[in-house]
Amino acid sequence: MAQTVALYSVKGGVGKTASAVNLAALSAAAGRQVLVWDLDPQSAASWYLQTEAGAERSVKKLLKPKGLAASVRPTIHSHLWVLPALPGQQAIEHHLADKKDAGYRLAKLIDPLAEQFEEIWIDAPPGLSLLADNILRAADMVLVPMVPTHLSERTWFQLKGHLRDRGIHPDQLRAFLSMVDRRRTLHRDFAERHRHDMPELLEAQIPYASLIEQMGDDQQPSVYREPRHPASQAYRSLWEEIDALFG
């Protein structure tokens, strides 16, 4: 049975897509069959992995039985596949709303992929929406990148409240610090200050690094480009923590 991990945040600009691509790449490097599902209309994950949807695919077809399997594309990297963002993907909310199982549709669609892939990493769009609820229900783990600021703290508790109100209970809800600048006192002290009220916060911290920003230069995961760089090593530490949680 495939493990499904959703990289999700209420707000954008927190390093979500870079984290989804790099963590999935580390699993693929370990020899696992890995799928990245790009559900963010910005299609950055698809672009990073040099993969585009075929012109014949549509959101409406995607949501039909066997629609996901027909849309999967290989990447240039071993063991790593992409379900790329589709043109007009922002209309997915409209199509979901028309379904009787509107809040659970994605979870049902993912099931057939479990035979082909060991892990499915979802790059989710930011915000609280019907699509977000689908993703949060479909994922075995919801992984939330947080820039160590007061706004991220606020959105974290907003997300937990939303999950509680909607009766959504992922097997694992975890957060990690992203874009950390250790020159800033707030960034250095954030984890210690929230050790008790954020027990879901993982130990690994992803630094703010030009290497990650430069992923677009050659469109490949930074953990492949410079595996010994401190940012790549931080992603590996995070990946090992996540892997340990799944046992």
Side-chain angles (χ1 to χ4, degrees):
M1 187 68 178
Q3 301 284 1
T4 301
V5 183
L7 270 290
Y8 173 80
S9 175
V10 174
K11 64 187 295 292
V14 296
K16 172 180 60 63
T17 298
S19 295
V21 169
N22 278 302
L23 292 168
L26 286 168
S27 285
R32 299 171 190 171
Q33 298 299 319
V34 179
L35 173 67
V36 175
W37 187 0
D38 187 357
L39 272 169
D40 193 325
Q42 296 184 57
S43 67
S46 306
W47 185 75
Y48 279 144
L49 293 170
Q50 305 180 45
T51 309
E52 295 182 357
E56 77 283 358
R57 306 309 302 166
S58 69
V59 172
K60 191 172 182 179
K61 290 180 180 178
L62 184 76
L63 296 178
K64 291 183 177 180
K66 300 182 181 180
L68 294 193
S71 299
V72 169
R73 299 286 182 268
T75 72
I76 62 173
H77 309 290
S78 298
H79 308 296
L80 188 58
W81 300 70
V82 178
L83 208 168
L86 299 174
Q89 187 160 280
Q90 59 270 23
I92 195 169
E93 294 271 346
H94 169 74
H95 292 289
L96 282 172
D98 289 341
K99 307 295 182 183
K100 291 182 180 179
D101 54 355
Y104 299 85
R105 186 71 172 180
L106 294 192
K108 293 179 180 179
L109 292 173
I110 283 176
D111 283 346
L113 296 175
E115 297 179 5
Q116 183 178 355
F117 298 102
E118 296 171 77
E119 294 180 7
I120 300 172
W121 293 78
I122 300 175
D123 183 25
L128 297 171
S129 63
L130 176 60
L131 176 57
D133 286 353
N134 264 264
I135 294 168
L136 294 169
R137 289 190 176 101
D140 299 304
M141 176 182 288
V142 176
L143 189 59
V144 181
M146 297 176 61
V147 179
T149 64
H150 298 302
L151 183 57
S152 289
E153 174 186 348
R154 180 176 182 273
T155 55
W156 168 254
F157 290 108
Q158 182 182 7
L159 171 60
K160 292 191 73 174
H162 178 80
L163 292 171
R164 182 178 59 252
D165 293 344
R166 295 299 181 92
I168 301 173
H169 305 289
D171 293 339
Q172 300 273 5
L173 175 64
R174 293 292 185 271
F176 66 94
L177 295 185
S178 175
M179 303 173 70
V180 177
D181 183 350
R182 296 199 61 81
R183 295 171 299 179
R184 301 179 60 182
T185 302
L186 178 62
H187 284 213
R188 291 198 307 271
D189 297 346
F190 189 93
E192 185 61 35
R193 288 194 299 108
H194 292 289
R195 187 173 302 278
H196 298 294
D197 62 351
M198 293 183 184
E200 302 91 348
L201 190 61
L202 297 173
E203 290 291 331
Q205 300 182 9
I206 307 304
Y208 181 85
S210 58
L211 175 69
I212 299 172
E213 290 185 328
Q214 292 164 1
M215 279 175 60
D217 289 354
D218 50 8
Q219 292 176 266
Q220 66 171 315
S222 57
V223 294
Y224 287 176
R225 189 179 188 209
E226 292 190 40
R228 296 187 180 182
H229 190 282
S232 298
Q233 291 298 307
Y235 270 125
R236 177 164 292 280
S237 295
L238 177 60
W239 178 81
E240 289 173 351
E241 273 195 87
I242 296 164
D243 203 45
L245 288 170
F246 283 128

